[in-house]
Amino acid sequence: MTMDAALLVGIPADFRYLAGTPFHIVNEKYVLAVTGALGAVPVLIPALAEALPIDALLTRIDGLLIPGSPSNVDPARYGNGASPAGTLKDARRDASTLPLIRAALTAGVPLLAICRGVQELNVALGGTLHERVHEEEGRHDHRAPLDASIDVRYAPSHRVQLAPGGMLATALGTEQAAVNSVHWQAIDRLAPNLDVEATAEDGTIEAVRVADAPNFAVGVQWHPEYRFADDAVSRALFGAFAAAMRARAEKLRRAA
């Protein structure tokens, strides 16, 4: 896809210490999905927490992609107790993305949230999470083997049922899809203004839509950014996101 320099997509970064040095980082697969699947220019958003100029930022981007990450949302953000020992967290990312998500929805900036992103979306709007969904009674193990190759880890591993007549089922042209599964956390109590768009066979919520959003605002638990060019569901999802961004950009251009 030819890159459209007129469209800018913000991608919030993780905050991580590597070899004792602080970094703001984003996995390259999200950058490549923005350029390749959306034909847009990625803008990496540093995890500046309260210092992030959210309002100014949202006037300059056309869409917001909230990416996955190895870290968990801190349960203190949704009123739960301490995490199990050894859980990787990212307080700077939490402090950056949660208010950014709420502000983007208010501003009508199209939003696509992936894996940790859909978990952040749920928490930002008042929901809660399972930190280890595989330990919940009746739930499957949604993790992928860490010692496997990337292709194996991100291969389709289970099916999801899309809500009949829902936005995703309509956009994707199907009511079932095979998706990958690379997560420990999952949505527990759904935020009040989220609608379920897809579920796994064990009842785990796999996709949501912000019911009262003025624009495209969807979160998925799987990873559509991996091999996006080869997967029809991923292409349709990114296509809907891109269409919303182009429509909003054109509307703003005409109003200027």
Side-chain angles (χ1 to χ4, degrees):
M1 180 180 289
T2 301
M3 189 180 299
D4 183 350
L7 287 179
L8 302 178
V9 177
I11 311 176
D14 293 347
F15 181 77
R16 199 83 52 79
Y17 281 92
L18 302 176
T21 303
F23 282 81
H24 298 258
I25 59 175
V26 170
N27 191 310
E28 186 186 40
K29 61 194 174 83
Y30 299 105
V31 172
L32 296 179
V34 167
T35 59
L38 299 174
V41 178
V43 177
L44 307 192
I45 302 172
L48 297 176
E50 291 78 10
L52 184 67
I54 290 176
D55 291 340
L57 171 67
L58 292 175
T59 66
R60 291 167 170 82
I61 62 174
D62 301 291
L64 186 62
L65 190 152
I66 311 294
S69 170
S71 65
N72 279 12
V73 179
D74 192 328
R77 292 283 180 177
Y78 49 90
N80 282 19
S83 299
T87 301
L88 179 63
K89 291 183 281 192
D90 188 342
R92 288 272 291 270
R93 170 159 168 167
D94 291 346
S96 303
T97 55
L98 299 182
L100 177 60
I101 287 169
R102 290 189 287 264
L105 294 173
T106 298
V109 174
L111 180 149
L112 175 60
I114 295 173
C115 198
R116 189 195 208 267
V118 73
Q119 297 156 9
E120 290 169 301
L121 175 62
N122 190 55
V123 171
L125 299 182
T128 66
L129 304 175
H130 295 297
E131 276 206 277
R132 299 191 175 198
V133 69
H134 56 281
E135 295 180 355
E136 299 295 321
E137 184 177 356
R139 298 298 179 92
H140 299 165
D141 192 340
H142 288 259
R143 299 172 296 174
L146 293 176
D147 57 351
S149 70
I150 294 295
D151 284 344
V152 170
R153 292 185 65 208
Y154 285 91
S157 62
H158 67 81
R159 302 193 69 79
V160 296
Q161 181 70 41
L162 304 181
M167 191 280 292
L168 276 185
T170 301
L172 277 52
T174 181
E175 291 187 358
Q176 280 200 346
V179 301
N180 52 41
S181 188
V182 191
H183 63 100
W184 290 51
Q185 290 194 127
I187 292 174
D188 179 10
R189 187 183 73 244
L190 189 68
N193 54 338
L194 290 181
D195 286 342
V196 175
E197 288 280 336
T199 55
E201 295 170 347
D202 64 351
T204 297
I205 295 172
E206 289 280 340
V208 298
R209 177 180 61 87
V210 183
D212 59 356
N215 214 321
F216 182 96
V218 171
V220 297
Q221 186 59 74
W222 66 89
H223 286 267
E225 79 286 353
Y226 186 72
R227 300 189 69 173
F228 57 84
D230 302 330
D231 181 70
V233 169
S234 296
R235 290 197 304 270
L237 180 61
F238 280 115
F241 184 33
M245 287 191 291
R246 288 193 297 268
R248 178 176 180 270
E250 178 60 21
K251 180 178 180 181
L252 291 175
R253 187 193 65 79
R254 290 198 305 268

